[in-house]
PDB file of all heavy atoms in Angstrom:
ATOM      1  N   GLY A   1     116.368 109.792  95.834  1.00 90.00           N
ATOM      2  CA  GLY A   1     116.931 109.467  94.553  1.00 90.00           C
ATOM      3  C   GLY A   1     118.314 108.931  94.585  1.00 90.00           C
ATOM      4  O   GLY A   1     119.038 108.969  93.575  1.00 90.00           O
ATOM      5  N   ARG A   2     118.714 108.433  95.742  1.00 88.00           N
ATOM      6  CA  ARG A   2     120.099 107.912  95.887  1.00 88.00           C
ATOM      7  C   ARG A   2     120.086 106.441  96.198  1.00 88.00           C
ATOM      8  O   ARG A   2     119.227 105.957  96.923  1.00 88.00           O
ATOM      9  CB  ARG A   2     120.822 108.669  96.995  1.00 88.00           C
ATOM     10  CG  ARG A   2     120.967 110.144  96.743  1.00 88.00           C
ATOM     11  CD  ARG A   2     122.033 110.763  97.683  1.00 88.00           C
ATOM     12  NE  ARG A   2     121.627 110.727  99.094  1.00 88.00           N
ATOM     13  CZ  ARG A   2     121.197 111.794  99.738  1.00 88.00           C
ATOM     14  NH1 ARG A   2     121.087 112.987  99.099  1.00 88.00           N
ATOM     15  NH2 ARG A   2     120.868 111.750 100.996  1.00 88.00           N
ATOM     16  N   LEU A   3     121.075 105.712  95.670  1.00 87.00           N
ATOM     17  CA  LEU A   3     121.250 104.317  95.989  1.00 87.00           C
ATOM     18  C   LEU A   3     122.482 104.208  96.901  1.00 87.00           C
ATOM     19  O   LEU A   3     123.587 104.511  96.433  1.00 87.00           O
ATOM     20  CB  LEU A   3     121.436 103.455  94.745  1.00 87.00           C
ATOM     21  CG  LEU A   3     121.550 101.958  94.991  1.00 87.00           C
ATOM     22  CD1 LEU A   3     120.247 101.416  95.514  1.00 87.00           C
ATOM     23  CD2 LEU A   3     121.916 101.231  93.669  1.00 87.00           C
ATOM     24  N   PRO A   4     122.316 103.830  98.181  1.00 85.00           N
ATOM     25  CA  PRO A   4     123.468 103.775  99.077  1.00 85.00           C
ATOM     26  C   PRO A   4     124.556 102.801  98.572  1.00 85.00           C
ATOM     27  O   PRO A   4     124.270 101.826  97.898  1.00 85.00           O
ATOM     28  CB  PRO A   4     122.864 103.253 100.392  1.00 85.00           C
ATOM     29  CG  PRO A   4     121.430 103.486 100.285  1.00 85.00           C
ATOM     30  CD  PRO A   4     121.073 103.419  98.828  1.00 85.00           C
ATOM     31  N   ASP A   5     125.803 103.139  98.878  1.00 84.00           N
ATOM     32  CA  ASP A   5     126.959 102.318  98.447  1.00 84.00           C
ATOM     33  C   ASP A   5     126.907 100.923  99.102  1.00 84.00           C
ATOM     34  O   ASP A   5     127.402  99.954  98.548  1.00 84.00           O
ATOM     35  CB  ASP A   5     128.275 102.965  98.868  1.00 84.00           C
ATOM     36  CG  ASP A   5     128.487 104.302  98.097  1.00 84.00           C
ATOM     37  OD1 ASP A   5     127.965 104.432  96.996  1.00 84.00           O
ATOM     38  OD2 ASP A   5     129.165 105.187  98.639  1.00 84.00           O
ATOM     39  N   ASP A   6     126.211 100.858 100.237  1.00 84.00           N
ATOM     40  CA  ASP A   6     126.183  99.557 100.973  1.00 84.00           C
ATOM     41  C   ASP A   6     124.921  98.740 100.674  1.00 84.00           C
ATOM     42  O   ASP A   6     124.552  97.859 101.427  1.00 84.00           O
ATOM     43  CB  ASP A   6     126.287  99.775 102.487  1.00 84.00           C
ATOM     44  CG  ASP A   6     125.086 100.503 103.044  1.00 84.00           C
ATOM     45  OD1 ASP A   6     124.237 100.997 102.261  1.00 84.00           O
ATOM     46  OD2 ASP A   6     124.980 100.609 104.295  1.00 84.00           O
ATOM     47  N   VAL A   7     124.225  99.068  99.535  1.00 86.00           N
ATOM     48  CA  VAL A   7     122.957  98.425  99.257  1.00 86.00           C
ATOM     49  C   VAL A   7     123.113  96.885  99.109  1.00 86.00           C
ATOM     50  O   VAL A   7     122.225  96.099  99.463  1.00 86.00           O
ATOM     51  CB  VAL A   7     122.281  99.013  97.993  1.00 86.00           C
ATOM     52  CG1 VAL A   7     123.045  98.673  96.732  1.00 86.00           C
ATOM     53  CG2 VAL A   7     120.819  98.479  97.865  1.00 86.00           C
ATOM     54  N   THR A   8     124.284  96.450  98.600  1.00 88.00           N
ATOM     55  CA  THR A   8     124.510  95.006  98.446  1.00 88.00           C
ATOM     56  C   THR A   8     125.207  94.371  99.623  1.00 88.00           C
ATOM     57  O   THR A   8     125.406  93.173  99.654  1.00 88.00           O
ATOM     58  CB  THR A   8     125.322  94.737  97.166  1.00 88.00           C
ATOM     59  OG1 THR A   8     126.599  95.445  97.289  1.00 88.00           O
ATOM     60  CG2 THR A   8     124.602  95.250  95.923  1.00 88.00           C
ATOM     61  N   LYS A   9     125.550  95.194 100.588  1.00 89.00           N
ATOM     62  CA  LYS A   9     126.256  94.660 101.760  1.00 89.00           C
ATOM     63  C   LYS A   9     125.249  94.025 102.768  1.00 89.00           C
ATOM     64  O   LYS A   9     124.191  94.565 102.976  1.00 89.00           O
ATOM     65  CB  LYS A   9     126.990  95.836 102.453  1.00 89.00           C
ATOM     66  CG  LYS A   9     127.853  95.386 103.638  1.00 89.00           C
ATOM     67  CD  LYS A   9     128.539  96.618 104.272  1.00 89.00           C
ATOM     68  CE  LYS A   9     129.317  96.211 105.530  1.00 89.00           C
ATOM     69  NZ  LYS A   9     129.935  97.383 106.173  1.00 89.00           N
ATOM     70  N   GLN A  10     125.629  92.922 103.312  1.00 89.00           N
ATOM     71  CA  GLN A  10     124.808  92.229 104.274  1.00 89.00           C
ATOM     72  C   GLN A  10     124.616  93.036 105.541  1.00 89.00           C
ATOM     73  O   GLN A  10     125.606  93.470 106.131  1.00 89.00           O
ATOM     74  CB  GLN A  10     125.433  90.875 104.630  1.00 89.00           C
ATOM     75  CG  GLN A  10     124.648  90.039 105.619  1.00 89.00           C
ATOM     76  CD  GLN A  10     123.521  89.283 104.982  1.00 89.00           C
ATOM     77  OE1 GLN A  10     123.534  89.028 103.790  1.00 89.00           O
ATOM     78  NE2 GLN A  10     122.522  88.964 105.776  1.00 89.00           N
ATOM     79  N   GLN A  11     123.378  93.319 105.885  1.00 89.00           N
ATOM     80  CA  GLN A  11     123.063  94.068 107.109  1.00 89.00           C
ATOM     81  C   GLN A  11     122.309  93.151 108.059  1.00 89.00           C
ATOM     82  O   GLN A  11     121.884  92.037 107.701  1.00 89.00           O
ATOM     83  CB  GLN A  11     122.186  95.271 106.773  1.00 89.00           C
ATOM     84  CG  GLN A  11     122.749  96.180 105.712  1.00 89.00           C
ATOM     85  CD  GLN A  11     123.753  97.154 106.261  1.00 89.00           C
ATOM     86  OE1 GLN A  11     123.939  97.265 107.479  1.00 89.00           O
ATOM     87  NE2 GLN A  11     124.462  97.882 105.376  1.00 89.00           N
ATOM     88  N   GLU A  12     122.136  93.605 109.293  1.00 89.00           N
ATOM     89  CA  GLU A  12     121.460  92.774 110.281  1.00 89.00           C
ATOM     90  C   GLU A  12     120.014  92.535 109.890  1.00 89.00           C
ATOM     91  O   GLU A  12     119.425  91.468 110.166  1.00 89.00           O
ATOM     92  CB  GLU A  12     121.520  93.463 111.667  1.00 89.00           C
ATOM     93  CG  GLU A  12     121.101  92.558 112.794  1.00 89.00           C
ATOM     94  CD  GLU A  12     121.368  93.214 114.165  1.00 89.00           C
ATOM     95  OE1 GLU A  12     122.358  93.919 114.294  1.00 89.00           O
ATOM     96  OE2 GLU A  12     120.540  93.005 115.052  1.00 89.00           O
ATOM     97  N   ASP A  13     119.363  93.538 109.233  1.00 91.00           N
ATOM     98  CA  ASP A  13     117.947  93.406 108.891  1.00 91.00           C
ATOM     99  C   ASP A  13     117.661  93.401 107.404  1.00 91.00           C
ATOM    100  O   ASP A  13     116.518  93.389 106.993  1.00 91.00           O
ATOM    101  CB  ASP A  13     117.121  94.527 109.540  1.00 91.00           C
ATOM    102  CG  ASP A  13     117.650  95.922 109.169  1.00 91.00           C
ATOM    103  OD1 ASP A  13     118.690  95.999 108.511  1.00 91.00           O
ATOM    104  OD2 ASP A  13     116.990  96.913 109.538  1.00 91.00           O
ATOM    105  N   ARG A  14     118.687  93.440 106.565  1.00 93.00           N
ATOM    106  CA  ARG A  14     118.454  93.327 105.131  1.00 93.00           C
ATOM    107  C   ARG A  14     119.693  92.732 104.406  1.00 93.00           C
ATOM    108  O   ARG A  14     120.783  92.769 104.911  1.00 93.00           O
ATOM    109  CB  ARG A  14     118.093  94.701 104.519  1.00 93.00           C
ATOM    110  CG  ARG A  14     119.197  95.722 104.556  1.00 93.00           C
ATOM    111  CD  ARG A  14     118.719  96.997 103.817  1.00 93.00           C
ATOM    112  NE  ARG A  14     119.585  98.143 104.096  1.00 93.00           N
ATOM    113  CZ  ARG A  14     120.662  98.460 103.371  1.00 93.00           C
ATOM    114  NH1 ARG A  14     120.990  97.665 102.332  1.00 93.00           N
ATOM    115  NH2 ARG A  14     121.386  99.486 103.663  1.00 93.00           N
ATOM    116  N   SER A  15     119.377  92.172 103.262  1.00 95.00           N
ATOM    117  CA  SER A  15     120.445  91.595 102.441  1.00 95.00           C
ATOM    118  C   SER A  15     120.125  91.717 100.970  1.00 95.00           C
ATOM    119  O   SER A  15     118.972  92.022 100.587  1.00 95.00           O
ATOM    120  CB  SER A  15     120.641  90.117 102.776  1.00 95.00           C
ATOM    121  OG  SER A  15     119.455  89.386 102.584  1.00 95.00           O
ATOM    122  N   PHE A  16     121.128  91.528 100.100  1.00 95.00           N
ATOM    123  CA  PHE A  16     120.947  91.654  98.634  1.00 95.00           C
ATOM    124  C   PHE A  16     121.608  90.399  98.022  1.00 95.00           C
ATOM    125  O   PHE A  16     122.746  90.125  98.246  1.00 95.00           O
ATOM    126  CB  PHE A  16     121.662  92.920  98.146  1.00 95.00           C
ATOM    127  CG  PHE A  16     121.284  93.263  96.737  1.00 95.00           C
ATOM    128  CD1 PHE A  16     120.460  94.368  96.431  1.00 95.00           C
ATOM    129  CD2 PHE A  16     121.738  92.538  95.638  1.00 95.00           C
ATOM    130  CE1 PHE A  16     120.104  94.691  95.128  1.00 95.00           C
ATOM    131  CE2 PHE A  16     121.380  92.859  94.333  1.00 95.00           C
ATOM    132  CZ  PHE A  16     120.562  93.952  94.062  1.00 95.00           C
ATOM    133  N   ILE A  17     120.790  89.684  97.260  1.00 95.00           N
ATOM    134  CA  ILE A  17     121.292  88.458  96.605  1.00 95.00           C
ATOM    135  C   ILE A  17     121.336  88.704  95.091  1.00 95.00           C
ATOM    136  O   ILE A  17     120.295  88.962  94.458  1.00 95.00           O
ATOM    137  CB  ILE A  17     120.346  87.235  96.918  1.00 95.00           C
ATOM    138  CG1 ILE A  17     120.264  87.052  98.415  1.00 95.00           C
ATOM    139  CG2 ILE A  17     120.913  85.996  96.203  1.00 95.00           C
ATOM    140  CD1 ILE A  17     119.226  86.033  98.818  1.00 95.00           C
ATOM    141  N   ARG A  18     122.516  88.713  94.542  1.00 95.00           N
ATOM    142  CA  ARG A  18     122.660  88.941  93.073  1.00 95.00           C
ATOM    143  C   ARG A  18     122.188  87.738  92.287  1.00 95.00           C
ATOM    144  O   ARG A  18     122.636  86.587  92.550  1.00 95.00           O
ATOM    145  CB  ARG A  18     124.109  89.257  92.738  1.00 95.00           C
ATOM    146  CG  ARG A  18     124.555  90.660  93.186  1.00 95.00           C
ATOM    147  CD  ARG A  18     125.955  90.951  92.627  1.00 95.00           C
ATOM    148  NE  ARG A  18     126.390  92.302  92.905  1.00 95.00           N
ATOM    149  CZ  ARG A  18     127.106  92.635  93.989  1.00 95.00           C
ATOM    150  NH1 ARG A  18     127.390  91.706  94.903  1.00 95.00           N
ATOM    151  NH2 ARG A  18     127.467  93.888  94.198  1.00 95.00           N
ATOM    152  N   CYS A  19     121.304  87.936  91.320  1.00 95.00           N
ATOM    153  CA  CYS A  19     120.871  86.877  90.455  1.00 95.00           C
ATOM    154  C   CYS A  19     120.176  87.451  89.245  1.00 95.00           C
ATOM    155  O   CYS A  19     119.811  88.649  89.232  1.00 95.00           O
ATOM    156  CB  CYS A  19     119.941  85.907  91.176  1.00 95.00           C
ATOM    157  SG  CYS A  19     118.470  86.694  91.861  1.00 95.00           S
ATOM    158  N   GLN A  20     119.953  86.629  88.219  1.00 93.00           N
ATOM    159  CA  GLN A  20     119.301  87.039  87.017  1.00 93.00           C
ATOM    160  C   GLN A  20     117.829  86.588  87.040  1.00 93.00           C
ATOM    161  O   GLN A  20     117.437  85.813  87.858  1.00 93.00           O
ATOM    162  CB  GLN A  20     120.028  86.459  85.788  1.00 93.00           C
ATOM    163  CG  GLN A  20     121.448  87.052  85.667  1.00 93.00           C
ATOM    164  CD  GLN A  20     122.182  86.458  84.465  1.00 93.00           C
ATOM    165  OE1 GLN A  20     121.860  85.355  84.031  1.00 93.00           O
ATOM    166  NE2 GLN A  20     123.227  87.163  84.004  1.00 93.00           N
ATOM    167  N   THR A  21     117.111  87.052  86.018  1.00 93.00           N
ATOM    168  CA  THR A  21     115.652  86.804  86.013  1.00 93.00           C
ATOM    169  C   THR A  21     115.271  85.326  86.134  1.00 93.00           C
ATOM    170  O   THR A  21     114.447  84.966  86.949  1.00 93.00           O
ATOM    171  CB  THR A  21     115.045  87.378  84.687  1.00 93.00           C
ATOM    172  OG1 THR A  21     115.310  88.756  84.583  1.00 93.00           O
ATOM    173  CG2 THR A  21     113.536  87.150  84.642  1.00 93.00           C
ATOM    174  N   ASN A  22     115.956  84.490  85.329  1.00 93.00           N
ATOM    175  CA  ASN A  22     115.590  83.048  85.396  1.00 93.00           C
ATOM    176  C   ASN A  22     116.014  82.352  86.676  1.00 93.00           C
ATOM    177  O   ASN A  22     115.654  81.224  86.952  1.00 93.00           O
ATOM    178  CB  ASN A  22     116.204  82.302  84.181  1.00 93.00           C
ATOM    179  CG  ASN A  22     117.696  82.413  84.107  1.00 93.00           C
ATOM    180  OD1 ASN A  22     118.322  83.194  84.868  1.00 93.00           O
ATOM    181  ND2 ASN A  22     118.324  81.657  83.243  1.00 93.00           N
ATOM    182  N   GLN A  23     116.820  83.029  87.497  1.00 95.00           N
ATOM    183  CA  GLN A  23     117.268  82.480  88.816  1.00 95.00           C
ATOM    184  C   GLN A  23     116.395  82.901  89.977  1.00 95.00           C
ATOM    185  O   GLN A  23     116.501  82.347  91.047  1.00 95.00           O
ATOM    186  CB  GLN A  23     118.718  82.868  89.058  1.00 95.00           C
ATOM    187  CG  GLN A  23     119.716  82.347  88.023  1.00 95.00           C
ATOM    188  CD  GLN A  23     121.089  82.947  88.239  1.00 95.00           C
ATOM    189  OE1 GLN A  23     121.247  84.147  88.421  1.00 95.00           O
ATOM    190  NE2 GLN A  23     122.095  82.087  88.222  1.00 95.00           N
ATOM    191  N   ILE A  24     115.518  83.901  89.733  1.00 96.00           N
ATOM    192  CA  ILE A  24     114.699  84.447  90.818  1.00 96.00           C
ATOM    193  C   ILE A  24     113.874  83.421  91.525  1.00 96.00           C
ATOM    194  O   ILE A  24     113.899  83.329  92.783  1.00 96.00           O
ATOM    195  CB  ILE A  24     113.777  85.610  90.258  1.00 96.00           C
ATOM    196  CG1 ILE A  24     114.628  86.836  89.889  1.00 96.00           C
ATOM    197  CG2 ILE A  24     112.717  85.972  91.233  1.00 96.00           C
ATOM    198  CD1 ILE A  24     115.215  87.605  91.071  1.00 96.00           C
ATOM    199  N   PRO A  25     113.098  82.529  90.831  1.00 96.00           N
ATOM    200  CA  PRO A  25     112.298  81.536  91.571  1.00 96.00           C
ATOM    201  C   PRO A  25     113.125  80.670  92.480  1.00 96.00           C
ATOM    202  O   PRO A  25     112.766  80.379  93.612  1.00 96.00           O
ATOM    203  CB  PRO A  25     111.643  80.753  90.464  1.00 96.00           C
ATOM    204  CG  PRO A  25     111.594  81.644  89.288  1.00 96.00           C
ATOM    205  CD  PRO A  25     112.899  82.449  89.406  1.00 96.00           C
ATOM    206  N   GLN A  26     114.314  80.226  91.968  1.00 96.00           N
ATOM    207  CA  GLN A  26     115.195  79.324  92.751  1.00 96.00           C
ATOM    208  C   GLN A  26     115.727  80.033  94.007  1.00 96.00           C
ATOM    209  O   GLN A  26     115.741  79.475  95.100  1.00 96.00           O
ATOM    210  CB  GLN A  26     116.331  78.846  91.847  1.00 96.00           C
ATOM    211  CG  GLN A  26     117.259  77.865  92.554  1.00 96.00           C
ATOM    212  CD  GLN A  26     118.413  77.443  91.636  1.00 96.00           C
ATOM    213  OE1 GLN A  26     118.519  77.903  90.513  1.00 96.00           O
ATOM    214  NE2 GLN A  26     119.315  76.605  92.158  1.00 96.00           N
ATOM    215  N   VAL A  27     116.105  81.290  93.827  1.00 96.00           N
ATOM    216  CA  VAL A  27     116.659  82.094  94.970  1.00 96.00           C
ATOM    217  C   VAL A  27     115.569  82.297  96.016  1.00 96.00           C
ATOM    218  O   VAL A  27     115.800  82.093  97.215  1.00 96.00           O
ATOM    219  CB  VAL A  27     117.219  83.416  94.453  1.00 96.00           C
ATOM    220  CG1 VAL A  27     117.507  84.353  95.632  1.00 96.00           C
ATOM    221  CG2 VAL A  27     118.490  83.222  93.623  1.00 96.00           C
ATOM    222  N   ILE A  28     114.359  82.697  95.568  1.00 97.00           N
ATOM    223  CA  ILE A  28     113.291  82.954  96.519  1.00 97.00           C
ATOM    224  C   ILE A  28     112.890  81.685  97.247  1.00 97.00           C
ATOM    225  O   ILE A  28     112.603  81.688  98.460  1.00 97.00           O
ATOM    226  CB  ILE A  28     112.078  83.595  95.809  1.00 97.00           C
ATOM    227  CG1 ILE A  28     112.442  85.016  95.320  1.00 97.00           C
ATOM    228  CG2 ILE A  28     110.854  83.644  96.707  1.00 97.00           C
ATOM    229  CD1 ILE A  28     111.335  85.706  94.541  1.00 97.00           C
ATOM    230  N   GLU A  29     112.874  80.558  96.514  1.00 96.00           N
ATOM    231  CA  GLU A  29     112.536  79.301  97.147  1.00 96.00           C
ATOM    232  C   GLU A  29     113.479  78.961  98.267  1.00 96.00           C
ATOM    233  O   GLU A  29     113.076  78.527  99.379  1.00 96.00           O
ATOM    234  CB  GLU A  29     112.609  78.179  96.080  1.00 96.00           C
ATOM    235  CG  GLU A  29     112.123  76.823  96.587  1.00 96.00           C
ATOM    236  CD  GLU A  29     112.085  75.777  95.508  1.00 96.00           C
ATOM    237  OE1 GLU A  29     112.540  76.085  94.367  1.00 96.00           O
ATOM    238  OE2 GLU A  29     111.669  74.646  95.806  1.00 96.00           O
ATOM    239  N   LYS A  30     114.812  79.228  98.057  1.00 95.00           N
ATOM    240  CA  LYS A  30     115.797  78.919  99.109  1.00 95.00           C
ATOM    241  C   LYS A  30     115.642  79.867 100.282  1.00 95.00           C
ATOM    242  O   LYS A  30     115.772  79.445 101.446  1.00 95.00           O
ATOM    243  CB  LYS A  30     117.212  79.031  98.514  1.00 95.00           C
ATOM    244  CG  LYS A  30     117.598  77.855  97.583  1.00 95.00           C
ATOM    245  CD  LYS A  30     119.007  77.968  97.134  1.00 95.00           C
ATOM    246  CE  LYS A  30     119.372  76.800  96.247  1.00 95.00           C
ATOM    247  NZ  LYS A  30     120.778  76.870  95.732  1.00 95.00           N
ATOM    248  N   VAL A  31     115.383  81.138 100.006  1.00 96.00           N
ATOM    249  CA  VAL A  31     115.218  82.116 101.062  1.00 96.00           C
ATOM    250  C   VAL A  31     114.010  81.747 101.957  1.00 96.00           C
ATOM    251  O   VAL A  31     114.067  81.801 103.173  1.00 96.00           O
ATOM    252  CB  VAL A  31     115.045  83.539 100.488  1.00 96.00           C
ATOM    253  CG1 VAL A  31     114.617  84.529 101.606  1.00 96.00           C
ATOM    254  CG2 VAL A  31     116.346  84.035  99.838  1.00 96.00           C
ATOM    255  N   VAL A  32     112.893  81.419 101.286  1.00 96.00           N
ATOM    256  CA  VAL A  32     111.669  81.035 102.005  1.00 96.00           C
ATOM    257  C   VAL A  32     111.855  79.792 102.832  1.00 96.00           C
ATOM    258  O   VAL A  32     111.429  79.710 103.988  1.00 96.00           O
ATOM    259  CB  VAL A  32     110.501  80.884 101.021  1.00 96.00           C
ATOM    260  CG1 VAL A  32     109.300  80.240 101.717  1.00 96.00           C
ATOM    261  CG2 VAL A  32     110.128  82.223 100.440  1.00 96.00           C
ATOM    262  N   ALA A  33     112.531  78.789 102.248  1.00 94.00           N
ATOM    263  CA  ALA A  33     112.790  77.508 102.932  1.00 94.00           C
ATOM    264  C   ALA A  33     113.626  77.762 104.201  1.00 94.00           C
ATOM    265  O   ALA A  33     113.353  77.215 105.273  1.00 94.00           O
ATOM    266  CB  ALA A  33     113.485  76.525 102.028  1.00 94.00           C
ATOM    267  N   ASN A  34     114.596  78.669 104.071  1.00 94.00           N
ATOM    268  CA  ASN A  34     115.457  79.025 105.202  1.00 94.00           C
ATOM    269  C   ASN A  34     114.681  79.731 106.293  1.00 94.00           C
ATOM    270  O   ASN A  34     114.844  79.442 107.475  1.00 94.00           O
ATOM    271  CB  ASN A  34     116.621  79.870 104.715  1.00 94.00           C
ATOM    272  CG  ASN A  34     117.616  80.175 105.828  1.00 94.00           C
ATOM    273  OD1 ASN A  34     118.016  79.320 106.601  1.00 94.00           O
ATOM    274  ND2 ASN A  34     118.018  81.404 105.902  1.00 94.00           N
ATOM    275  N   ALA A  35     113.771  80.654 105.884  1.00 94.00           N
ATOM    276  CA  ALA A  35     112.982  81.380 106.847  1.00 94.00           C
ATOM    277  C   ALA A  35     111.996  80.463 107.569  1.00 94.00           C
ATOM    278  O   ALA A  35     111.766  80.598 108.784  1.00 94.00           O
ATOM    279  CB  ALA A  35     112.192  82.466 106.142  1.00 94.00           C
ATOM    280  N   ARG A  36     111.487  79.462 106.860  1.00 93.00           N
ATOM    281  CA  ARG A  36     110.547  78.521 107.466  1.00 93.00           C
ATOM    282  C   ARG A  36     111.240  77.635 108.571  1.00 93.00           C
ATOM    283  O   ARG A  36     110.641  77.323 109.571  1.00 93.00           O
ATOM    284  CB  ARG A  36     109.920  77.606 106.437  1.00 93.00           C
ATOM    285  CG  ARG A  36     108.946  78.351 105.517  1.00 93.00           C
ATOM    286  CD  ARG A  36     108.205  77.394 104.663  1.00 93.00           C
ATOM    287  NE  ARG A  36     107.186  76.657 105.430  1.00 93.00           N
ATOM    288  CZ  ARG A  36     106.657  75.515 105.060  1.00 93.00           C
ATOM    289  NH1 ARG A  36     106.968  74.941 103.920  1.00 93.00           N
ATOM    290  NH2 ARG A  36     105.754  74.895 105.837  1.00 93.00           N
ATOM    291  N   THR A  37     112.525  77.313 108.322  1.00 93.00           N
ATOM    292  CA  THR A  37     113.202  76.532 109.310  1.00 93.00           C
ATOM    293  C   THR A  37     113.408  77.330 110.583  1.00 93.00           C
ATOM    294  O   THR A  37     113.628  76.761 111.684  1.00 93.00           O
ATOM    295  CB  THR A  37     114.613  76.062 108.786  1.00 93.00           C
ATOM    296  OG1 THR A  37     115.389  77.222 108.505  1.00 93.00           O
ATOM    297  CG2 THR A  37     114.470  75.212 107.569  1.00 93.00           C
ATOM    298  N   LYS A  38     113.344  78.649 110.523  1.00 93.00           N
ATOM    299  CA  LYS A  38     113.483  79.524 111.685  1.00 93.00           C
ATOM    300  C   LYS A  38     112.139  79.863 112.317  1.00 93.00           C
ATOM    301  O   LYS A  38     112.086  80.701 113.233  1.00 93.00           O
ATOM    302  CB  LYS A  38     114.183  80.850 111.296  1.00 93.00           C
ATOM    303  CG  LYS A  38     115.616  80.579 110.810  1.00 93.00           C
ATOM    304  CD  LYS A  38     116.294  81.862 110.417  1.00 93.00           C
ATOM    305  CE  LYS A  38     117.716  81.606 109.931  1.00 93.00           C
ATOM    306  NZ  LYS A  38     118.407  82.811 109.468  1.00 93.00           N
TER     307      LYS A  38
END
């Protein structure tokens, strides 16, 4: 039941991207495109 203080901090295996509902598709599209290049 706890949210760590570092939840939004960039980690080696996880990250948090702040955005609103209408920005979700655009953000996910960029994340996926970046992953595909790798």
Side-chain angles (χ1 to χ4, degrees):
R2 298 197 293 257
L3 184 65
D5 295 332
D6 66 351
V7 69
T8 59
K9 185 181 176 183
Q10 180 80 23
Q11 305 278 351
E12 193 173 323
D13 57 354
R14 67 176 165 89
S15 58
F16 193 108
I17 303 170
R18 287 188 176 90
C19 59
Q20 296 178 337
T21 301
N22 60 350
Q23 298 172 313
I24 289 290
Q26 184 182 359
V27 168
I28 291 178
E29 185 177 4
K30 287 184 178 178
V31 170
V32 169
N34 185 44
R36 291 191 71 199
T37 61
K38 295 179 180 178

